[in-house]
């Protein structure tokens, strides 16, 4: 007998929407269609609801449990669940609590991440490694990393732990040859370092100079270079947190030539603009200090167009669970020392739905594509990302007509603020299932610490 049927809702996939019931057995979807799953052991009424695949958030910086915050990885996984995200990928860069030993070797870092997150998560999760200049020989470790179920890794073109162009090319080549995909943070170190030096020499240390020293052209130039290096390596490349029209044009040009170039954007760039940096109060400005920085309204509009038209492949949160008094260190330190990041693991679906389909900027089907299907496909999460037979029953019952105001007091993440305080969004997550098990129902957490499994991935 079927375990469960979710009945009466509107099932949304990347290619269409229809009234359909969803039958679930052993945690997998076994049938989708009207009247399937008759006589199931359990029935969930989804009348009036959209039945969406859980969001797959491929860009988070969740932090490992630590003595002073033993629950932080778990808290962010619960936050993901409340937000309708049933799978997330985490980076294990040093700021996330990885030990010195884990920081010095990709493989040691992977083993440490797995050991310290075992039994911690409420939803499924995986790892994307981070290649830094501090590691002894990360490029040599890539083949074994890929073979161990971690086929994606991020490298930086900026910051003191960046890779040189030569090493970036080598990393792209090894990833391409061994079935991996490199994720690249594209900003020009040459441009930014010189602008930062000028600002500091002039005594301009306030928060807003973070953005002023990271112009859009510095991102566009690095994006162009990363694409050229990927071409030279005969490899695919994935550009993280694309924020501006000029970088998008580089991606669109590469895609038009048929090159395997993929790009994500993130909710801050779809929801906010650089007017935030004009606030008088430094404590306000610091909440929006992220890299790349917030851009102009014209850039924001261009990103929405790119998402709709396909120049951008997906949206991920770039969640950084900073706290104002701790990592953000209010009152503000000189801008080069400010932690660059903002929380967002819980607000991803809410913002993309509220500003996307609910505002007429994209279809529901495209939303499911950019939040679930494409991230699952590009990142080797083959059982995730779609309400179809054979996939994991990671389902979100979403009320498209409810309205919700985002407030820190209503969120579950380990951060102590949200950049979206007071944003009113149409649509609300009502219930969330992970492999057929209830994690959230009507605003109550029904899940379990450790119910989420580490997913070993293989790219297509
Ligand atoms: Zn990031």
């Amino acid at each position: 007998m079927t375990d469960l049927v979710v009945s009466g809702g509107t099932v949304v996939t990347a290619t269409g929407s229809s009234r359909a019931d969803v039958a679930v057995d052993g945690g997998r979807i076994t049938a989708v269609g009207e009247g399937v799953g008759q006589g199931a052991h359990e029935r969930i009424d989804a009348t009036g609801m959209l039945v969406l695949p859980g969001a797959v958030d491929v860009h988070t910086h969740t932090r490992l449990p630590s003595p002073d915050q033993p629950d932080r990885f778990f808290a962010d996984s619960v936050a993901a669940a409340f937000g309708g995200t049933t799978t997330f990928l985490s980076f294990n860069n040093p700021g996330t609590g990885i030990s010195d030993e884990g920081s010095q070797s990709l493989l040691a870092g992977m083993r440490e991440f797995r050991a310290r997150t075992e039994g911690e998560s409420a939803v499924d999760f995986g790892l994307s490694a981070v290649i830094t200049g501090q590691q002894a020989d990360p490029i040599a470790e890539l083949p074994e990393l890929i073979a161990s179920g971690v086929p994606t890794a991020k490298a930086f073109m900026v910051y003191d732990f960046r890779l040189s162009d030569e090493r970036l090319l080598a990393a792209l080549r090894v990833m391409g040859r061994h079935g991996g995909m490199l994720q690249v943070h594209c900003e020009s170190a040459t441009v930014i370092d010189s602008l930062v030096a000028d600002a500091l020499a002039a005594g301009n240390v306030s928060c807003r100079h973070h953005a002023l020293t990271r112009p859009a052209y510095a991102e566009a130039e690095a994006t162009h270079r990363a694409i050229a290096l990927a071409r030279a390596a005969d490899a695919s490349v994935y550009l993280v947190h694309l924020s501006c029209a000029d970088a998008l044009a580089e991606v669109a040009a590469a895609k038009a030539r048929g090159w395997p170039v993929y790009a994500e954007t993130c909710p801050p760039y779809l929801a906010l603009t650089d007017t935030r940096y004009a606030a008088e109060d430094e404590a306000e400005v610091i909440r929006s200090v992220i890299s790349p920085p917030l851009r102009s309204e014209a850039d924001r509009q261009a990103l929405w167009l790119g998402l709709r038209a396909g120049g951008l492949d997906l949206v991920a949160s770039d969640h950084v669970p900073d706290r104002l008094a701790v990592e953000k260190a209010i009152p503000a330190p000189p801008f080069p020392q400010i932690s660059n990041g903002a929380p967002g693991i819980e607000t991803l679906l809410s913002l993309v739905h509220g500003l996307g389909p609910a505002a007429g900027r994209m279809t529901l089907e495209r939303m499911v594509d950019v939040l679930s299907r494409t991230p699952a496909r590009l990142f080797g999460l083959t059982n995730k990302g779609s309400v179809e037979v054979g996939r994991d029953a990671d389902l979100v019952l979403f009320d498209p007509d409810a309205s919700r105001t985002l407030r820190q007091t209503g969120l579950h993440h380990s951060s102590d603020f949200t950049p979206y305080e007071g944003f009113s969004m149409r649509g609300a997550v009502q219930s969330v299932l992970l492999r057929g098990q209830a994690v959230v129902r009507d605003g109550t957490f029904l899940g379990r610490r450790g119910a989420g499994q580490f997913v070993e991935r293989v790219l297509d």
Side-chain angles (χ1 to χ4, degrees):
M1 193 171 81
T2 304
D3 292 338
L4 167 73
V5 63
V6 177
S7 65
T10 299
V11 172
V12 185
T13 71
T15 52
S17 303
S18 59
R19 280 288 295 274
D21 305 332
V22 181
V24 177
D25 216 15
R28 292 275 177 102
I29 298 168
T30 52
V32 181
E34 264 193 279
V36 303
Q38 297 287 342
H41 184 69
E42 187 192 351
R43 174 174 294 268
I44 296 176
D45 182 12
T47 305
M49 297 288 142
L50 302 177
V51 180
L52 310 175
V56 175
D57 185 353
V58 295
H59 189 156
T60 76
H61 299 269
T62 47
R63 296 198 169 103
L64 294 169
S66 66
D68 65 315
Q69 277 189 292
D71 297 326
R72 61 189 187 180
F73 192 85
F74 174 58
D76 282 328
S77 76
V78 170
F82 272 100
T85 290
T86 48
T87 308
F88 66 90
L89 298 185
S90 190
F91 290 114
N92 63 343
N93 41 300
T96 56
I98 200 89
S99 68
D100 281 351
E101 195 196 342
S103 292
Q104 279 157 25
S105 147
L106 281 178
L107 294 169
M110 174 194 67
R111 286 190 289 268
E112 181 180 345
F113 178 89
R114 291 203 59 172
R116 289 176 61 190
T117 55
E118 170 93 48
E120 290 289 334
S121 184
V123 297
D124 288 351
F125 66 103
L127 172 67
S128 235
V130 173
I131 301 177
T132 72
Q134 274 98 46
Q135 291 151 343
D137 194 0
I139 295 167
E141 292 183 296
L142 286 172
E144 191 177 338
L145 183 84
I146 295 164
S148 308
V150 181
T152 52
K154 175 156 130 177
F156 295 79
M157 297 173 80
V158 72
Y159 301 129
D160 54 1
F161 50 86
R162 68 177 170 266
L163 298 191
S164 65
D165 287 355
E166 291 77 7
R167 300 241 294 159
L168 192 59
L169 174 59
L172 284 159
R173 183 170 282 139
V174 173
M175 286 300 249
R177 290 196 181 153
H178 292 267
M181 179 171 72
L182 197 68
Q183 299 160 269
V184 185
H185 176 136
C186 301
E187 285 187 296
S188 165
T190 306
V191 171
I192 290 171
D193 289 351
S194 107
L195 293 175
V196 169
D198 290 350
L200 294 179
N204 295 326
V205 296
S206 66
C207 293
R208 65 184 54 84
H209 291 282
H210 169 81
L212 295 173
T213 55
R214 310 182 88 91
Y217 66 79
E219 181 183 348
E221 184 279 322
T223 302
H224 183 91
R225 188 154 33 102
I227 292 169
L229 293 173
R231 242 195 125 194
D234 193 21
S236 63
V237 66
Y238 179 93
L239 311 170
V240 293
H241 51 48
L242 190 142
S243 73
C244 61
D246 288 353
L248 176 58
E250 299 290 347
V251 172
K255 282 178 181 286
R257 291 170 159 186
W259 301 342
V261 172
Y262 308 101
E264 80 183 14
T265 191
C266 307
Y269 312 113
L270 295 169
L272 308 172
T273 67
D274 56 7
T275 56
R276 290 234 159 173
Y277 301 131
E280 282 295 312
D281 183 359
E282 289 273 283
E284 255 333 291
V285 176
I286 203 169
R287 293 164 189 248
S288 305
V289 170
I290 58 175
S291 293
L294 299 175
R295 305 294 192 189
S296 69
E297 177 61 17
D299 288 305
R300 190 176 83 93
Q301 297 296 345
L303 296 181
W304 277 110
L305 280 177
L307 259 187
R308 197 160 69 196
L312 290 168
D313 294 281
L314 64 92
V315 186
S317 71
D318 199 5
H319 173 72
V320 176
D322 277 356
R323 293 161 294 169
L324 290 170
V326 187
E327 293 85 5
K328 285 290 197 187
I330 278 177
F335 77 88
Q337 281 141 50
I338 299 171
S339 174
N340 305 184
I345 201 168
E346 193 167 356
T347 47
L348 174 66
L349 170 60
S350 188
L351 287 163
V352 174
H353 178 269
L355 299 171
R361 287 194 180 94
M362 64 163 61
T363 62
L364 283 170
E365 290 78 12
R366 182 64 182 151
M367 180 187 82
V368 162
D369 199 358
V370 301
L371 289 181
S372 301
R373 186 177 74 159
T374 296
R377 180 172 58 81
L378 287 181
F379 284 80
L381 293 154
T382 46
N383 295 331
K384 306 294 189 185
S386 192
V387 184
E388 62 185 56
V389 172
R391 303 269 179 146
D392 286 353
D394 296 347
L395 304 174
V396 174
L397 274 57
F398 190 83
D399 183 347
D401 299 318
S403 55
R404 180 178 178 213
T405 300
L406 302 176
R407 295 199 186 286
Q408 168 61 19
T409 51
L411 296 174
H412 305 80
H413 59 199
S414 65
S415 187
D416 60 1
F417 73 102
T418 171
Y420 312 105
E421 186 72 30
F423 273 49
S424 271
M425 291 290 130
R426 225 173 82 212
V429 171
Q430 190 217 41
S431 300
V432 178
L433 302 174
L434 176 71
R435 288 179 268 103
Q437 301 291 314
V439 186
V440 173
R441 186 169 296 167
D442 296 325
T444 302
F445 181 68
L446 298 180
R448 186 172 55 78
R449 190 168 184 149
Q453 295 173 352
F454 182 89
V455 186
E456 292 188 358
R457 300 177 289 124
V458 178
L459 301 191
D460 258 354

